[in-house]
Amino acid sequence: MNDQSAPSAAAPGDARMHVRAIHQSKGHGILMRIMVLTMRHPWQVAITVVSTIIACGLQLWMPVLLGQAVDHAEGVINGGAGAADALWTTAMIMLVVSVGRGIFTMWQNYFGEAVGHFTAYELRLAVYEKIQRLSFSYHDKVHTGDLITVGMLDLEGVRMFFATGVLRVVLLGILIGVGAYMMLSTDLWLGVLALAFVPFVAWRSSVMHITLRLTWMKLQDLLQVVSRVMEENLGGIRVVRAFAAQDHELEKFDKASDAALELAHKRVDFRVVNTAVTNLSFFISMGLVLWVGGEKVASGVMSVGTLATFLTFMTILQMPVRQLGLLVNSFSRAATCGQRLFAFLDQEVEIADRPQAKPLNVTKGTLRFENVGFAYPSAPDRQVLQGVSFEARRGQTIGLVGAPGSGKSTIAHLIPRFYDVTAGAVTIDGQNVADVSLDSLRKHVAVVQQDSFLFTTNIENNIAYGDPWAKETRIARSAESAQLHNYIMGLPTGYQTVVGERGVSLSGGQRQRLNIARSLMLHPAVMVFDDSTAAVDAGTEQRIRSAMKRFSRDRVTMIISHRLSSLMHADQILFIENGQVIERGTHAELLELGGRYRELYDLQVRPSDDQMEAAQ
Amino acid sequence: MTNVALDTEDEDTEDRRRRPPRAVVGSSLDKEEEVFGKAYDPRIVRRIWAFVKPYQSRIYLSVAAVLVFTLTQLAIPLLVRYAIDHGMHTDGSGRTVLLTVMIGFFAVVIVNYGASWIQEVVVGKAAENVLFDMRRAMFANLQRVSLGWMDKTEVGRLMSRLMGDVNSMQEFLETSVLSVGDIILLFGIIGVLLWLDPMLGAITMATMPVLFIVRLFWLPPAKKSFMDAHHTNSSANGALAEGINGVRTVQSLDRQKVNFDLYEEKARANLRAHLRAAKFAQVMVPIVDTLTGISMATVIVLGGQMVLGRQLDVGVMVAFLFYIQRFFDPIRSLTMQYSVFQRAMSSGSRIIEVLDVPVDIKDKPDAVALTPDMDGSVEFKDVTFGYRKGQPVLRNVSFRVNPGETVALVGPTGSGKSSCMSLVHRFYDVWDGSVTVGGHDVRDLTQDSLGAEVAMVLQEPFLFTGTVLENIRYHKVNASREQVVDAAKAVGAHEFIMSLAEGYDTKIEQRGGNLSLGQRQLISFARALVADAKILVLDEATANIDSYTEMLIQRALKRLLEGRTGLVIAHRLATIRGADRIIVLQNGELLETGNHDQLMKLGGLYSKLYTMNYASFDDLPDDAIGVGASVGKAT
């Protein structure tokens, strides 16, 4: 038992091979598929099964040896002569059998568990890989909590299947089958009595384990409610205090808590009734064996040793029979967990490279929207964009304005192909974005989102997220341009300060600036700022803009904002309403036009009360 | 500074690939909490006992049941022995004895059944009750502790106390009763074997201390390997969760490949740790089996010869063989329970920490209730206040808001506006000076009545899980539906609420995720309107809202302030100009006061800010107001 069984040194190629193998196992039934994946480790499986068989055999030998020993001691067999020698022999065999059973049980358990962990490792990789590959539209509709359940709990259910399910079938099959045969062939009626508890306990414990698992899940849901009540309360503690609502909050807590407690009590009742009753049935069986066996011993048709063998068989069988419930539960758990896990892994990736996809070749750096129409896959009847056309050349800035929900962000999401257009085309230098390879496209298109994710790591790693090999000097320069450098240097640990969920929390404006710094690390042909300065004050924004002048010379820049001052300088401004471009031109042209843009401008720059009324 | 990171001088790809990436997946922070404490800490046990005490009669009952249960377990091999030795004579003389023994046997079995049932049900339920009581006590204390403490403490951290640590007490409570049973069983077996045959018993049990010693050496490294497996699990799962939550950023920055390789490392570390833990767990199996084998062989050889020599009844030998099979169970579980105890002590100390957070702000014994007929004035008299010793956030601030007047508080970030707001509500106590509401010092009032008469609207509108209706009447749970609808209409929220799938009964997703910021703002306005307090304290949102919603909000604000005393932390020009009076704060001091025209004439900070034409007065560049960077947070 050494580390040879663990996969050898870092070999990412192997890791990708595992992922492929898991995808190739598609097409089998759920449990069969788990077995196919398990059998990718044939040696470990073989060792496990062989060890199990040997361990069971040795275990079954023990009651026989005990019986023999008792009979030798009573002098039943050799009439006393040589009994001492016989005792010695039996004792030595017993010792060897016992040691052997220990060693083989160890191998059985270790390798059984190892096989599960290997499979879990491979499945983990496949889940992670899939999560990263599934397109936005999938992540839009699936709750993150559900994905976490798949990746953690469902994976566990599948992992346990070999050790607690399949292997137990072998184990119990041998123990109960051979044990029953040995007892029944020794004495039919006594054997029947000794086994009488088996079906009852098997049934009760199956029902119990399945029910306990189901109520456990229900209990987790109820506890989730309790935890949500508390989390909201603590997160919104100022509101609670402001409205002096502590009593109301405690009431809410009690309601949730009492519901969970009630179910917890029910579970205890259910569990205990079942374990107590299985104990009872076992002891009754044992009592009957003792009684009937005792009568037989008394009438001389059976030796005390044989009776001892029967009783020992029963104690040996007691544990595995109770575990029948675990076995049944393991199958049912693996079936439900496996179903969810494989359904997730087999999910079609909507946005993927087309078969003949070539890398994007940027020459002039021209972005074009040609009559683009779009509807989200979840609501195909609702047109989000209609007939959107424009062209932007390298060095140009294009501004998008419009009310929330008018479709501005959607335009931004179509360029890196987070979604596919439903009509028309988006092209870069004449190449349809849908025809080029995804990784090359996304290398050339950067979208700075309104609220993008901060990873729990230091600021340096966060800024270099898109270019992890960048030098420190470049990271610092990006932060400078994003007007974040001074703030970072003011922190005690500077660029090494950990931010994110478990680190220092940044304000909305600081997060957005970090985000901008992050995108300045890239060299995209198209750069989109999707309302990415909403929480940055106007003055700082002005300075970011001037710092970026040189940066924008070599690419198309698209700015989406509510704040007109952010995009007044653009070479072309598009006013979007209901998914259509209703006005376009430079700032001056649009003011001249006196349309919707003009209205918005008047409202924003110096709104007086009567103007607001008028605009209404 | 204008030098943009567009350079290519360090883009030597050969060099780049040789460097490891600056990248991690999952949290790189290892703030794991101490899992094991001392096995027994009288202070902690005493505190836990306080929660167990209400159920003490049940605990005694279950301990008694454990005792009975263990005794019946011990009795069964003895009964078998008696049946063999006295009930199975081949001459038939033992028939009645066998019958008696069998009646005894079934009686014992029934008692065993009852005892096991009582023991588990009683202890199981009592343990659940204790857990829920503990959690409630912690939660109730958190409702009273000072906001200063809450500000310093992460919600996630508290949640792990309230859920994780409390749950780990369950194991402790259940096993502490079970370990009583194990100890009885251990000594019971020792006693019975010595009683049956002192010499054979002593020799057979010689293996027992061996196991004890082996376990002692085995436990520390084994425990470490189990903990490692646990840690690598949470680390891999953390990375997975991060991958899910940050998937959009990962895809837009094309980090999939780097992340996959990093994740593979974590998954592999997890695999390794689990294999190691499995080794440690399984290596005990052959050791125990070998010791069992030795004891069995001893009984067979020595006991067998004694039986041959008629020095020992054969039934005793059978009983020995039965006991040996159960021999090591109590030792195994007792050593495992040792870890459970250690875990419980460290969880327990964290639970006590939460229970013992002092409540600084309490009602005075003679506190009076603020009544709705008070005049509605708010006054700050020479208020000095701060969050950290020696760093006052407000210095000698004095002003009065007359009944019915709307006063706007204006100033750059860190000027102390939000602190003023918190003080009106007595979230904190002033260091010096006083804050009076309706003519009473807030320290002389009951907190409940203060909460009822002073409505507050926070900058970040916080919505609770529940329906829109429940959120609007959060403050007045018994407000009628009509009142809620009227309030929503008054603030202009009715229209969009009706456009939601189920109108006022629409469930609000976590923290109002299905509503826009502006919509949440309007709901929190409606909530304040339903509260119908004489005084309104409001912190305006700074975030950019689209112009149309902005207009709705402005009108709602007007409606909300009608006939009320208003203290508004204002960011927007429109709000500021609409106020009766403006107070300008800077660095915790009151700088200027007056209405818009007066302040413009004054030509101070206000007029400077105003003429600079920023849409918001917040987050101004430092050079615009001519002060040093203010990093402090004051929310």
Side-chain angles (χ1 to χ4, degrees):
Chain A
M1 249 179 26
N2 48 35
D3 271 320
Q4 287 157 0
S5 43
S8 51
D14 283 358
R16 297 204 160 78
M17 190 190 75
H18 295 317
V19 173
R20 261 197 308 280
I22 285 168
H23 288 297
Q24 277 157 9
S25 64
K26 196 175 165 177
H28 297 281
I30 294 159
L31 295 181
M32 195 53 211
R33 190 166 172 188
I34 301 177
M35 279 319 291
V36 168
L37 295 178
T38 306
M39 286 312 290
R40 296 190 64 234
H41 308 280
W43 282 110
Q44 282 90 348
V45 170
I47 296 175
T48 316
V49 172
V50 170
S51 300
T52 308
I53 293 171
I54 297 176
C56 286
L58 294 175
Q59 168 117 40
L60 286 168
W61 197 354
M62 290 172 79
V64 180
L65 286 171
L66 285 181
Q68 268 175 23
V70 170
D71 285 344
H72 290 317
E74 277 218 300
V76 178
I77 291 179
N78 293 332
D85 292 343
L87 280 173
W88 270 103
T89 317
T90 312
M92 285 308 111
I93 296 175
M94 183 60 142
L95 183 58
V96 172
V97 165
S98 205
V99 172
R101 184 189 71 158
I103 289 170
F104 284 103
T105 308
M106 170 177 78
W107 281 343
Q108 163 208 318
N109 290 347
Y110 175 75
F111 285 102
E113 233 183 279
V115 167
H117 283 300
F118 290 143
T119 311
Y121 160 79
E122 293 159 7
L123 283 169
R124 245 178 234 285
L125 295 180
V127 168
Y128 192 80
E129 196 264 352
K130 191 75 181 193
I131 281 172
Q132 293 206 94
R133 214 150 43 88
L134 280 166
S135 36
F136 277 33
S137 54
Y138 178 81
H139 288 289
D140 289 343
K141 64 173 190 254
V142 177
H143 203 271
T144 54
D146 294 341
L147 288 184
I148 290 176
T149 308
V150 168
M152 295 181 192
L153 296 180
D154 291 341
L155 201 126
E156 275 297 283
V158 171
R159 171 177 81 76
M160 307 277 284
F161 180 62
F162 180 66
T164 60
V166 179
L167 207 53
R168 252 198 200 118
V169 172
V170 178
L171 186 110
L172 294 179
I174 297 175
L175 280 185
I176 298 176
V178 178
Y181 170 77
M182 287 167 83
M183 288 198 282
L184 292 174
S185 59
T186 312
D187 188 310
L188 186 64
W189 283 111
L190 204 57
V192 169
L193 285 181
L195 293 169
F197 77 103
V198 173
F200 179 74
V201 171
W203 168 59
R204 277 326 302 171
S205 94
S206 303
V207 171
M208 176 177 85
H209 283 290
I210 291 179
T211 314
L212 282 182
R213 181 167 58 90
L214 298 179
T215 52
W216 183 83
M217 291 194 291
K218 246 186 249 160
L219 183 61
Q220 292 310 304
D221 287 345
L222 291 178
L223 284 172
Q224 196 57 46
V225 177
V226 177
S227 134
R228 204 188 53 218
V229 168
M230 296 195 294
E231 201 169 353
E232 267 185 16
N233 170 287
L234 299 173
I237 193 84
R238 275 161 201 278
V239 182
V240 175
R241 302 278 174 101
F243 288 107
Q246 285 97 329
D247 292 339
H248 171 57
E249 286 290 303
L250 279 174
E251 248 169 62
K252 268 207 296 197
F253 171 84
D254 285 341
K255 209 174 126 201
S257 180
D258 289 347
L261 184 61
E262 201 188 312
L263 184 64
H265 278 180
K266 274 195 195 141
R267 280 192 91 227
V268 171
D269 276 333
F270 183 77
R271 190 190 67 210
V272 172
V273 163
N274 279 287
T275 46
V277 92
T278 45
N279 271 340
L280 181 68
S281 69
F282 169 74
F283 282 128
I284 289 177
S285 237
M286 189 174 174
L288 292 176
V289 169
L290 187 63
W291 195 355
V292 176
E295 294 283 355
K296 290 192 179 211
V297 173
S299 44
V301 287
M302 186 182 262
S303 72
V304 177
T306 310
L307 182 59
T309 303
F310 264 91
L311 293 175
T312 319
F313 263 133
M314 288 190 72
T315 32
I316 286 178
L317 285 187
Q318 188 196 4
M319 251 345 253
V321 170
R322 279 164 190 257
Q323 286 175 348
L324 264 172
L326 285 177
L327 181 146
V328 173
N329 185 45
S330 170
F331 271 78
S332 103
R333 186 175 170 201
T336 40
C337 289
Q339 189 192 16
R340 271 195 302 256
L341 181 68
F342 293 132
F344 169 76
L345 288 174
D346 297 343
Q347 189 78 39
E348 208 64 61
V349 177
E350 280 171 54
I351 311 260
D353 284 351
R354 296 208 170 145
Q356 303 301 323
K358 283 194 208 90
L360 175 67
N361 180 24
V362 178
T363 50
K364 285 194 190 137
T366 306
L367 168 72
R368 270 175 67 91
F369 268 57
E370 292 162 17
N371 230 341
V372 167
F374 178 75
Y376 282 99
S378 52
D381 297 333
R382 232 190 97 234
Q383 283 298 315
V384 179
L385 292 179
Q386 268 175 42
V388 174
S389 297
F390 62 85
E391 184 185 287
R393 285 187 302 276
R394 175 177 286 165
Q396 283 189 333
T397 298
I398 187 155
L400 301 186
V401 216
S406 58
K408 299 177 311 254
S409 295
T410 311
I411 292 179
H413 286 165
L414 295 179
I415 307 171
R417 215 184 150 209
F418 291 152
Y419 301 91
D420 272 334
V421 296
T422 41
V426 177
T427 64
I428 294 174
D429 282 338
Q431 302 152 78
N432 191 330
V433 293
D435 293 332
V436 299
S437 71
L438 264 184
D439 55 346
S440 71
L441 174 66
R442 289 181 183 169
K443 215 160 261 146
H444 286 110
V445 180
V447 179
V448 188
Q449 316 252 11
Q450 188 173 8
D451 53 346
S452 131
F453 193 79
L454 273 192
F455 296 89
T456 307
T457 173
N458 62 33
I459 294 182
E460 192 175 83
N461 289 357
N462 260 299
I463 294 180
Y465 199 78
D467 182 6
W469 286 276
K471 279 191 172 166
E472 277 156 37
T473 45
R474 276 191 63 221
I475 296 173
R477 268 201 298 279
S478 288
E480 262 173 29
S481 303
Q483 309 298 312
L484 196 61
H485 181 72
N486 288 344
Y487 168 76
I488 298 171
M489 293 313 284
L491 295 169
T493 43
Y495 279 87
Q496 303 308 316
T497 309
V498 175
V499 292
E501 216 177 313
R502 290 170 71 193
V504 171
S505 55
L506 299 181
S507 74
Q510 286 160 346
R511 287 171 70 111
Q512 290 195 333
R513 281 183 276 162
L514 192 144
N515 226 334
I516 292 170
R518 198 184 258 173
S519 58
L520 292 181
M521 298 296 295
L522 313 168
H523 306 287
V526 179
M527 178 90 176
V528 184
F529 293 96
D530 185 1
D531 220 351
S532 49
T533 51
V536 178
D537 65 86
T540 308
E541 191 196 353
Q542 176 60 46
R543 282 186 289 178
I544 295 175
R545 208 166 34 239
S546 68
M548 278 183 17
K549 274 220 175 89
R550 209 185 112 204
F551 183 81
S552 10
R553 250 197 335 245
D554 293 319
R555 61 206 76 237
V556 171
T557 308
M558 178 182 276
I559 298 176
I560 299 172
S561 180
H562 289 308
R563 195 190 282 161
L564 291 188
S565 62
S566 308
L567 44 76
M568 287 192 301
H569 65 287
D571 299 295
Q572 190 180 189
I573 298 171
L574 309 182
F575 196 104
I576 316 287
E577 199 167 85
N578 295 327
Q580 282 167 307
V581 181
I582 58 161
E583 288 172 21
R584 70 173 81 207
T586 62
H587 176 66
E589 287 165 1
L590 288 176
L591 282 189
E592 186 86 4
L593 189 71
R596 302 282 284 131
Y597 184 85
R598 173 83 210 205
E599 263 174 45
L600 190 68
Y601 176 79
D602 289 340
L603 194 68
Q604 268 190 24
V605 174
R606 187 51 64 89
S608 69
D609 292 346
D610 20 297
Q611 270 171 333
M612 279 173 58
E613 292 301 326
Q616 231 268 306
Chain B
M1 179 143 142
T2 45
N3 197 355
V4 171
L6 167 71
D7 37 305
T8 44
E9 87 259 13
D10 61 3
E11 299 317 296
D12 173 10
T13 36
E14 189 59 30
D15 176 48
R16 282 163 63 84
R17 296 298 145 172
R18 229 178 286 140
R19 291 201 290 269
R22 273 169 215 292
V24 291
V25 290
S27 166
S28 58
L29 269 196
D30 234 359
K31 271 201 256 166
E32 280 295 343
E33 318 202 285
E34 204 186 322
V35 181
F36 295 105
K38 280 192 270 179
Y40 179 77
D41 183 337
R43 196 178 59 92
I44 295 169
V45 172
R46 213 175 309 127
R47 294 294 297 274
I48 296 172
W49 178 247
F51 286 97
V52 180
K53 210 157 180 237
Y55 309 101
Q56 60 175 322
S57 51
R58 296 194 220 176
I59 299 292
Y60 295 145
L61 175 65
S62 76
V63 170
V66 168
L67 194 74
V68 172
F69 175 74
T70 313
L71 292 178
T72 55
Q73 298 274 79
L74 276 171
I76 286 171
L78 281 178
L79 285 165
V80 172
R81 179 250 152 167
Y82 201 78
I84 290 176
D85 287 341
H86 304 285
M88 302 182 189
H89 299 305
T90 31
D91 56 8
S93 64
R95 281 266 148 79
T96 48
V97 180
L98 185 62
L99 190 66
T100 324
V101 173
M102 286 326 298
I103 291 170
F105 186 95
F106 287 115
V108 166
V109 165
I110 302 260
V111 172
N112 175 285
Y113 167 76
S116 94
W117 188 79
I118 291 173
Q119 160 214 329
E120 288 198 45
V121 161
V122 171
V123 93
K125 287 188 177 176
E128 296 283 359
N129 282 339
V130 170
L131 298 189
F132 279 78
D133 290 352
M134 248 182 209
R135 190 178 288 135
R136 190 182 194 282
M138 289 162 80
F139 184 65
N141 193 46
L142 289 174
Q143 300 307 304
R144 303 275 159 205
V145 303
S146 75
L147 277 179
W149 188 85
M150 292 293 293
D151 291 343
K152 282 183 299 198
T153 315
E154 283 169 54
V155 172
R157 209 130 250 259
L158 286 177
M159 288 309 294
S160 99
R161 304 274 176 284
L162 288 161
M163 301 304 288
D165 284 324
V166 168
N167 283 341
S168 75
M169 297 302 292
Q170 176 172 31
E171 212 185 358
F172 166 71
L173 293 167
E174 286 187 353
T175 50
S176 36
V177 174
L178 291 184
S179 54
V180 172
D182 279 322
I183 291 171
I184 299 170
L185 188 62
L186 182 62
F187 287 103
I189 291 179
I190 295 174
V192 169
L193 290 189
L194 291 176
W195 171 66
L196 283 175
D197 191 287
M199 207 256 306
L200 187 60
I203 296 174
T204 312
M205 286 186 297
T207 50
M208 234 187 221
V210 176
L211 181 67
F212 225 98
I213 292 164
V214 170
R215 292 287 291 194
L216 227 55
F217 282 101
W218 170 84
L219 198 60
K223 202 159 71 184
K224 194 185 163 295
S225 77
F226 300 156
M227 287 315 299
D228 282 348
H230 175 77
H231 284 321
T232 54
N233 238 8
S234 12
S235 149
N237 285 341
L240 178 72
E242 185 191 83
I244 295 168
N245 290 321
V247 68
R248 289 178 174 77
T249 308
V250 169
Q251 291 193 0
S252 23
L253 294 172
D254 200 33
R255 259 282 289 261
Q256 291 94 320
K257 286 199 182 83
V258 174
N259 284 1
F260 181 79
D261 291 344
L262 291 170
Y263 182 76
E264 194 273 340
E265 277 171 33
K266 290 215 165 186
R268 190 149 32 86
N270 181 34
L271 171 62
R272 287 243 165 92
H274 272 289
L275 292 180
R276 206 175 126 78
K279 270 179 212 168
F280 266 108
Q282 294 306 324
V283 79
M284 274 322 280
V285 175
I287 294 175
V288 170
D289 275 356
T290 303
L291 293 175
T292 313
I294 292 173
S295 293
M296 291 242 192
T298 311
V299 171
I300 292 172
V301 171
L302 286 183
Q305 278 173 351
M306 284 161 82
V307 173
L308 272 179
R310 301 281 170 244
Q311 296 149 284
L312 193 73
D313 291 334
V314 71
V316 175
M317 182 177 163
V318 173
F320 259 82
L321 292 173
F322 270 93
Y323 282 122
I324 287 169
Q325 293 173 45
R326 304 237 23 215
F327 219 44
F328 298 109
D329 291 355
I331 298 182
R332 252 189 296 194
S333 53
L334 277 173
T335 41
M336 282 326 279
Q337 279 153 20
Y338 184 76
S339 313
V340 172
F341 273 54
Q342 286 180 311
R343 233 190 332 253
M345 289 303 141
S346 76
S347 286
S349 76
R350 287 192 291 266
I351 289 173
I352 290 170
E353 247 171 59
V354 175
L355 287 171
D356 288 352
V357 176
V359 179
D360 331 328
I361 298 191
K362 280 185 216 156
D363 287 349
K364 278 189 186 169
D366 54 348
V368 292
L370 193 63
T371 50
D373 55 2
M374 53 113 186
D375 66 5
S377 67
V378 175
E379 189 166 11
F380 276 55
K381 285 183 202 150
D382 285 324
V383 169
T384 299
F385 166 73
Y387 300 93
R388 256 171 268 156
K389 264 213 172 91
Q391 295 176 26
V393 180
L394 293 175
R395 276 184 292 260
N396 293 320
V397 172
S398 297
F399 62 82
R400 184 180 154 84
V401 186
N402 297 314
E405 193 185 23
T406 298
V407 167
L409 277 176
V410 174
T413 308
S415 56
K417 295 166 300 188
S418 312
S419 305
C420 287
M421 176 169 164
S422 304
L423 291 178
V424 174
H425 230 282
R426 207 186 161 208
F427 281 170
Y428 309 92
D429 274 338
V430 295
W431 290 0
D432 202 13
S434 69
V435 176
T436 57
V437 171
H440 301 273
D441 189 317
V442 288
R443 285 167 292 192
D444 299 330
L445 294 168
T446 60
Q447 292 175 72
D448 281 355
S449 68
L450 193 60
E453 299 308 324
V454 181
M456 211 166 181
V457 177
L458 299 166
Q459 192 175 49
E460 260 299 308
F462 192 96
L463 301 187
F464 294 88
T465 307
T467 62
V468 172
L469 185 82
E470 283 161 2
N471 264 286
I472 293 181
R473 64 176 182 205
Y474 181 75
H475 184 232
K476 269 196 181 160
V477 188
N478 49 5
S480 69
R481 203 181 174 90
E482 284 68 44
Q483 276 173 288
V484 170
V485 174
D486 285 348
K489 277 183 179 158
V491 299
H494 181 71
E495 216 172 283
F496 90 79
I497 294 174
M498 291 312 288
S499 75
L500 297 174
E502 285 168 75
Y504 285 84
D505 298 314
T506 307
K507 282 246 185 288
I508 285 177
E509 280 167 25
Q510 209 168 9
R511 306 246 165 122
N514 49 347
L515 299 175
S516 76
L517 180 64
Q519 292 172 333
R520 278 182 278 159
Q521 199 85 41
L522 290 178
I523 288 185
S524 75
F525 281 5
R527 183 194 277 168
L529 199 61
V530 169
D532 194 25
K534 229 173 196 166
I535 300 172
L536 178 76
V537 183
L538 186 140
D539 194 352
E540 204 173 26
T542 45
N544 269 286
I545 298 174
D546 69 283
S547 310
Y548 175 70
T549 317
E550 166 101 48
M551 215 158 53
L552 278 181
I553 287 176
Q554 285 296 338
R555 281 199 293 164
L557 194 57
K558 250 188 205 151
R559 173 69 185 76
L560 197 57
L561 287 165
E562 257 169 36
R564 274 175 242 281
T565 309
L567 184 61
V568 181
I569 297 180
H571 307 287
R572 303 184 187 282
L573 292 176
T575 318
I576 295 168
R577 288 192 311 170
D580 297 322
R581 205 144 49 87
I582 300 161
I583 292 175
V584 184
L585 287 173
Q586 189 183 4
N587 285 336
E589 281 172 272
L590 197 146
L591 206 66
E592 299 160 14
T593 171
N595 65 24
H596 176 70
D597 296 334
Q598 290 165 338
L599 288 180
M600 288 307 284
K601 239 175 257 158
L602 191 71
L605 180 63
Y606 180 82
S607 71
K608 194 172 161 195
L609 294 178
Y610 191 81
T611 45
M612 280 174 70
N613 194 16
Y614 285 119
S616 151
F617 270 18
D618 232 47
D619 259 336
L620 285 166
D622 299 335
D623 49 355
I625 44 175
V627 293
S630 41
V631 194
K633 75 167 207 150
T635 22

